[in-house]
Amino acid sequence: MNKRNLSLSMLSLTLAAGMLAGCSTGVKTEPPKETAQGGSATAPPDKPITLSFWGGVPAENGPQAVIDAWNKENPNIQVKYERYVNDDAGNLKLDTALIAEQGVDIFVNYTTPALKKRIDNGVALDLSSFTDYSIDQKMGPQAAEWKINGKYYGVPTKRNIFFMWLNKDALDKAGLKVPTDWTWQDLQDYAAKLKTDKRYGLVQSTEVYPDAMDGSLAASKYVKADGTSDFNNPIVGTWLETLNQMMKDGKSTPPLGEQLTTKMPVETVFLKGDAAMLNAGEWIFRSSNDRKANPRDFKIAFAPVPKVSKDQTNFKIRGGLGDVISIAAKSKNKEAAWKFLKWYADGGMLPMASGGRLPASKDANVAEATKLLLGNAADTYDQESLNKVVFGQFDTYNRDLPQQVLDLRREEYEKFFLGKQDIKGTLDTMAKRHNDFLNQNKK
C-alpha cells in the first residue's frame, strides 16, 4: 500500500471511531458557537422574563416588598415597579405608555371610568381566556361590579371602605359619643362643637365631596323611574345646603375656594390635630401608623359615613373592591403576568396591608393583614369602633359614573359652593346636563 492509500485508510478509521464514540453516548454533537471575539463558547442560558408593573402607591409603602418577595422566589420571572401618581397627569402618563406600547405588562386601575377608557382604547386584556382562576369565587359577589360588558379586564384585589376618622380625645373632651348611625345634620352639629380657633371640625378632600350624593343615588343608578336624571333629587339639595352652611360657619369645615387655592393636605391637617374629623378611607393608615412623620398624641376612632337623612333606607357607603389590576393587551409576557397576578391577589400583596390595602381574596391571610394594617400603632386606635367600621359589613357601591358625568356635576356643585349659582339653578343644571348626556348615549 502506498503512503497516500495508507493515509486515507487511517483517516477513515479515525472518522469511524469518532462516529462510534458519538453513537455510544447518545449525545448529538454540534459545532461550538463562536463568540464575538471569534472563539467558541457554550450557548448562554435563557434570560429571565422582566415584567413592568405600574401602580400608584409609592414603592416604599408596600409594592417594593411585594416585588422583592416575588423576585426572590421566581428567578425566571422578574418584576420591576413603575410608580405613577394617581391623578390626571399620572393617569395620562400610564395611558400614553400603554397606547405607545412602551413595555407596560401589568397596571393598576383605581376607578371604573379609568378602566373603561383603557378597555375602549384596546389596551386592557380580556381575562376570560384564563380558565384556571375564578375571580367570582375568590373575591366574592362584589367583584362583579368590575365586570365590563360581562367580562373581567382586571382582577379587583383589595377591600375598599370609606369612613370617618375621628379625634377621639377631642370627642371625649366635648362630651360626644362615637357615632354608629348618623346623618349629615348630626355631622354638622359635631363639627360645630369640635371646632376651635385653631381646629376645623371636619376636613375632606374634594375627591370625596360627592360621596353623600352617590350614596343616596347609587341604588337607583342615578335615574328616576322614567329614565331621567335624579341629580335634582331633593336629598341632593339637602346635602349641598348642609355642607355649604358648614363652610360658612367659621372653622366648621374649610370653604371650597380656600381649599382649592391652598391645595390643603387634609390628611396631614387631621393627623396634626388641626381638624377633629376626616372623611377618607383605609389608605390613611399608611400615614397614621407613621408616628415619626406624624407624631400625633391622640387616639383615633371611626364612624360610618353619615346618611343625608334618617329615613333613607337605600343609602350605600362607597366601598366594595378596588385596586383592579389588568394585563396590558400588547404585553409580550401575558402568561408570566397572569402567574404573578394570581400570586399577588391570593396573598402576595400582604405587605400592602401596612399601607391600608387589605386583600380581597378569600385565600389571603386576614389575621396577618390586620396585624400589618395596624403595625406598632394598634394601641392608638379605638378597637371597638375599628372592628365595627373598618372591618364591618355595609351595603356598598363603587363609583362607576362615566368621567363626563363626574366632570359636569362637579362643575355645577362647585359653582354653588363658590357662591356663583343658587341651589335651584345647581340642581336643575346638573339634571339637564345629565339628561343631555343620557340622550346622547342611548343604545
Side-chain angles (χ1 to χ4, degrees), residues 195-236:
K195 71 174 184 176
T196 68
D197 291 341
K198 297 182 179 180
R199 184 177 69 202
Y200 289 109
L202 167 73
V203 291
Q204 55 183 343
S205 73
T206 56
E207 196 276 338
V208 304
Y209 263 43
D211 283 1
M213 184 194 316
D214 288 326
S216 300
L217 305 181
S220 65
K221 299 298 182 183
Y222 305 92
V223 295
K224 299 183 178 74
D226 62 3
T228 60
S229 175
D230 204 17
F231 281 167
N232 57 357
N233 190 310
I235 204 73
V236 177

Side-chain angles (χ1 to χ4, degrees), residues 133-140 346 360-363:
Y133 187 95
S134 172
I135 296 174
D136 291 311
Q137 290 180 6
K138 292 277 188 176
M139 308 303 173
D346 279 349
S361 173
K362 66 179 182 62
D363 289 345

Side-chain angles (χ1 to χ4, degrees), residues 263-279:
K263 297 181 180 180
M264 182 179 291
V266 294
E267 173 183 327
T268 303
V269 170
F270 172 74
L271 294 175
K272 286 175 60 179
D274 293 340
M277 297 184 290
L278 170 68
N279 185 2

